[in-house]
Amino acid sequence: MSPRYLNLSKIGRSKRLLRPLGGVALALIAAALGGCDDHATVPPARVAVVRTEIVQPRDRQSSLTLTGEVQARFRADLSFRVSGRVLARYVDVGTHVKAGEVLAILDPAEQEADVDAATAAVLAAESQLRVAKATFDRQTALIASGFTTRTAYDQAQEGLRTTEGVLEAARAQLGTAKDVLGYTALRAEADGVVTARSLESGQVVQAAQPVFSLAQDGERDVVFDVYESIFLGTADRSSVSLTLVSDATVTASGEVREVSPAVDARSSTIRVKVAIKDPPAAMTLGSAVAGTVRLTAERQIALPWRALMAAGTSPAVWTVDPVTRTASLKPVTVGGYEAGEVLIRAGLDPGERVVVDGGKLLSVGQLVTYEGEPS
């Protein structure tokens, strides 16, 4: 066999071997081209399904309820006018007393001695007055007969006037001593209830030292400690609804009578006193009372609490553009919180569509669909 025929046979065998390899190469190239086409294709944007509502402002009249304590309109701290040792105490905290009733007495030994001394001084002055009057009467008779001098008559007259003055002073001193003796008994100045006591039998007390507190009968107030921020709003002070905490069936109406001009430095509250109109008998001193006041109506938008989101550190809500159907985050101003609702004071316009459910996974510019949207 010649070399030429050998080469031709080898070439033919090589072509037969390369023919299937060429098919594989073409398949690999087609697959590569197909892969490039897949990367170039942009997948369709994900459409979020949310629940929305069109907001409209409404006039909302909210109320504010706080708890206070019933106190007497007039209260007084009672004290002895003189110092001494307490001999007896007749009342305790919670005792209802009448005007003039004795609450406690001091040992009157010292005051009784002063009364005895003053009484003796009056008796001595009366005796001196009788002598001076007899002397003056005698000098008057003698000067009429010419048996005495004018000087002796004038001296007798002056002695009479002096003893009369001494008697008046002694009688005044006796009256003062008797008054001081009466001060050893502490009496109630009006009908009321004893709310505090700070003395015991045998204790030595000083004059003007408060020993009892008396809440007088009559008008009653409910005292509230109110946070200062509440006064930034507008409330109806002319009518306050009062309810006994221990019995909701006991109610009354009240009116704001006094607002303290100072803020308590420890609690940052302001003391407000509400006068009770015709207080029920069940609203006794110290009772806990719930007071409700109506706030002036304001136009606000109410949304479910699920609609409230955050833009940074500020509250915000998701709104939907009716043309592009895309979501955007809009900052709002919150006016208050209620059960299940958040009140929007500013930031939203009437007629805007707000996402009220499903906004946690939204992003700015994302397409959304909602119930009731036309196909």
Side-chain angles (χ1 to χ4, degrees):
M1 184 177 294
S2 65
R4 183 173 60 87
Y5 291 109
L6 290 173
N7 292 337
L8 290 174
S9 61
K10 290 180 178 181
I11 293 173
R13 191 165 48 250
S14 300
K15 287 182 178 181
R16 288 194 302 269
L17 292 173
L18 290 174
R19 190 176 292 117
L21 293 176
V24 174
L26 291 175
L28 292 174
I29 294 172
L33 292 175
C36 293
D37 291 340
D38 290 341
H39 287 293
T41 302
V42 178
R46 183 177 64 86
V47 179
V49 180
V50 297
R51 189 163 64 88
T52 65
E53 68 178 38
I54 297 177
V55 298
Q56 293 293 341
R58 292 177 294 173
D59 289 337
R60 301 180 61 86
Q61 185 174 22
S62 58
S63 60
L64 175 67
T65 301
L66 295 174
T67 302
E69 180 185 0
V70 177
Q71 295 183 5
R73 174 75 59 84
F74 303 103
R75 302 174 60 187
D77 291 332
L78 306 182
S79 59
F80 287 99
R81 297 188 183 185
V82 294
S83 302
R85 183 176 61 86
V86 178
L87 193 63
R89 172 182 59 82
Y90 301 111
V91 296
D92 205 341
V93 175
T95 304
H96 188 275
V97 298
K98 298 291 185 180
E101 183 177 344
V102 177
L103 308 180
I105 59 174
L106 299 177
D107 186 354
E110 181 179 351
Q111 288 74 23
E112 288 175 347
D114 292 340
V115 171
D116 292 342
T119 301
V122 169
L123 294 177
E126 290 176 345
S127 177
Q128 293 176 0
L129 178 61
R130 286 193 295 270
V131 172
K133 189 174 186 340
T135 301
F136 176 71
D137 291 341
R138 184 169 57 254
Q139 290 294 327
T140 301
L142 291 175
I143 197 170
S145 303
F147 293 103
T148 188
T149 62
R150 187 69 182 180
T151 300
Y153 173 80
D154 292 340
Q155 289 178 348
Q157 186 179 26
E158 185 65 25
L160 176 62
R161 292 176 179 174
T162 300
T163 53
E164 288 176 346
V166 171
L167 178 60
E168 290 296 328
R171 288 174 177 173
Q173 187 66 30
L174 177 61
T176 301
K178 290 182 178 180
D179 290 341
V180 172
L181 178 60
Y183 294 156
T184 58
L186 182 61
R187 301 177 183 273
E189 298 179 353
D191 296 351
V193 177
V194 177
T195 59
R197 173 183 61 83
S198 60
L199 86 165
E200 285 292 350
S201 298
Q203 178 181 347
V204 176
V205 296
Q206 301 299 321
Q209 175 186 340
V211 292
F212 288 106
S213 290
L214 181 67
Q216 298 182 14
D217 291 344
E219 300 179 8
R220 294 284 185 265
D221 290 338
V222 181
V223 180
F224 298 93
D225 291 326
V226 180
Y227 287 104
E228 183 182 10
S229 58
I230 295 176
F231 290 91
L232 300 178
T234 53
D236 183 11
R237 300 185 182 182
S238 60
S239 178
V240 180
S241 300
L242 303 173
T243 305
L244 193 64
V245 173
S246 60
D247 187 357
T249 61
V250 179
T251 60
S253 60
E255 182 179 359
V256 176
R257 183 181 67 84
E258 178 183 323
V259 178
S260 174
V263 179
D264 188 278
R266 292 175 296 179
S267 61
S268 298
T269 57
I270 297 176
R271 177 149 294 189
V272 177
K273 295 182 179 180
V274 176
I276 307 176
K277 300 177 181 178
D278 300 325
M283 286 189 180
T284 57
L285 293 175
S287 300
V289 175
T292 303
V293 62
R294 294 287 181 181
L295 302 179
T296 304
E298 296 182 0
R299 293 186 64 83
Q300 294 179 334
I301 294 174
L303 294 175
W305 61 266
R306 295 184 303 273
L308 189 62
M309 301 294 167
T313 58
S314 302
V317 297
W318 286 106
T319 61
V320 178
D321 190 316
V323 178
T324 62
R325 293 185 304 155
T326 56
S328 60
L329 197 58
K330 193 171 187 179
V332 295
T333 301
V334 177
Y337 298 91
E338 294 185 356
E341 289 184 333
V342 59
L343 305 180
I344 306 301
R345 179 177 298 174
L348 290 177
D349 298 325
E352 283 194 275
R353 185 174 293 275
V354 174
V355 178
V356 296
D357 197 4
K360 292 184 178 180
L361 301 178
L362 289 179
S363 59
V364 177
Q366 184 175 356
L367 290 174
V368 298
T369 183
Y370 46 86
E371 183 181 356
E373 180 185 8
S375 304

